[in-house]
Amino acid sequence: TRPSDSRNIRQSGLSAMKLDEGVSLVAVRAVAWTPEDDAEPASARPRPRVLLATAQGKAIKFPLDDIRLFEGRSSSGVRGIRLGDADRLIAMSVLNAVVTPGGEEREAYVRGDEGGLDPARRAELAAGEQLLLSVADDGLGRLTSAYEFRETARGGQGIANLDLSRGRGKAAEVVATFPVTLSEQLMVVTDGGMMIRCPVEGIRQAGRATRGVRILDVAEGERVVSVAALAEEGGAEDTGDEAEAAPDES
């Protein structure tokens, strides 16, 4: 919707969008985007991309153009991702306006295949690359390139974002997925009041659908509930021991 649809907000507030019973709002983002009558498909234009992530480790990336502009706040919108049983959406990010590489080009870049890409094109992709941080409620987390997430049409079931297999009856959920830079600090907080601050650059970058590294050693019965990136530097702590990574899945 347009910002003008939310003018003259009453003290009691305004309805942001129509929600079905049992559904809650997860995120709201302002985007600098104007639809254009362009003959090229949305995937070939340098437009912002939307990334949606779920608690059970799924994610989907699609062009912002796939979401039509709604008139007014009374609509329920369109489907961004099709959730599995008992799954729920936990995060939405708007990624940089770049053309996502596809097919062999994307695979060559994320694998670091020096011979698979022209140096000029590799430099272009590197300049537009974003890193995504995903953290599970048991303290494991991982950095990966946003290029690892292939672009699809909205409304699908998504692809694997983070490996949540733990063994011996243990379970985990994703609590955060968002873009970060290597110069930022990471703040992780648990429901037991524990907190750690560490440099993003200290977290190992790995492929999609891996477990990652241990960012915070969570106590029994405790879970991570909040993760935030801070711009200032200094005061960093050790990220902890590296956890075993699961095989990468396509």
Side-chain angles (χ1 to χ4, degrees):
T1 60
R2 296 182 176 90
S4 59
D5 293 330
S6 300
R7 290 184 301 187
N8 304 320
I9 298 179
R10 299 185 297 269
Q11 189 172 13
S12 59
L14 288 175
S15 174
M17 68 181 296
K18 181 180 178 181
L19 298 175
D20 294 334
E21 185 177 353
V23 176
S24 59
L25 192 63
V26 172
V28 176
R29 298 287 183 270
V31 294
W33 169 65
T34 302
E36 292 181 357
D37 183 13
D38 197 323
E40 290 184 296
S43 60
R45 288 181 245 151
R47 292 296 192 195
R49 267 57 181 171
V50 176
L51 183 92
L52 303 178
T54 78
Q56 293 183 1
K58 292 288 188 178
I60 191 170
K61 184 173 73 171
F62 55 87
L64 181 61
D65 302 53
D66 278 5
I67 305 175
R68 67 182 179 88
L69 183 63
F70 284 85
E71 300 295 336
R73 298 172 286 101
S74 60
S75 66
S76 56
V78 294
R79 184 177 299 279
I81 185 171
R82 189 170 298 279
L83 297 171
D85 294 340
D87 202 0
R88 69 186 192 281
L89 190 71
I90 56 98
M92 176 188 75
S93 300
V94 179
L95 305 180
N96 288 343
V98 298
V99 177
T100 303
E104 295 182 359
E105 186 180 58
R106 181 177 64 86
E107 291 298 322
Y109 183 84
V110 298
R111 288 198 313 265
D113 183 0
E114 296 293 338
L117 278 177
D118 177 84
R121 178 55 174 157
R122 178 172 292 278
E124 180 184 1
L125 292 175
E129 184 178 25
Q130 284 182 283
L131 295 177
L132 292 172
L133 173 75
S134 293
V135 180
D137 60 1
D138 61 355
L140 292 179
R142 180 228 59 223
L143 280 177
T144 193
S145 171
Y147 292 149
E148 289 263 5
F149 296 83
R150 66 180 182 272
E151 195 167 297
T152 65
R154 63 168 181 80
Q157 295 182 349
I159 59 177
N161 173 29
L162 191 65
D163 181 7
L164 298 175
S165 61
R166 297 295 187 261
R168 295 193 300 275
K170 295 183 178 179
E173 289 190 339
V174 181
V175 294
T177 295
F178 56 87
V180 293
T181 65
L182 294 178
S183 63
E184 290 178 314
Q185 298 283 315
L186 191 66
M187 189 77 75
V188 183
V189 183
T190 74
D191 58 0
M194 296 299 294
M195 178 177 66
I196 190 173
R197 177 172 169 173
C198 62
V200 172
E201 64 180 356
I203 302 172
R204 181 170 62 88
Q205 186 171 339
R208 181 176 55 79
T210 55
R211 295 184 192 179
V213 299
R214 182 160 299 284
I215 299 174
L216 175 62
D217 191 8
V218 179
E220 186 72 26
E222 198 171 1
R223 59 186 293 269
V224 173
V225 293
S226 182
V227 184
L230 307 176
E232 64 265 26
E233 299 179 356
E237 300 180 30
D238 190 359
T239 59
D241 295 332
E242 181 172 322
E244 180 184 358
D248 195 5
E249 298 178 2
S250 300

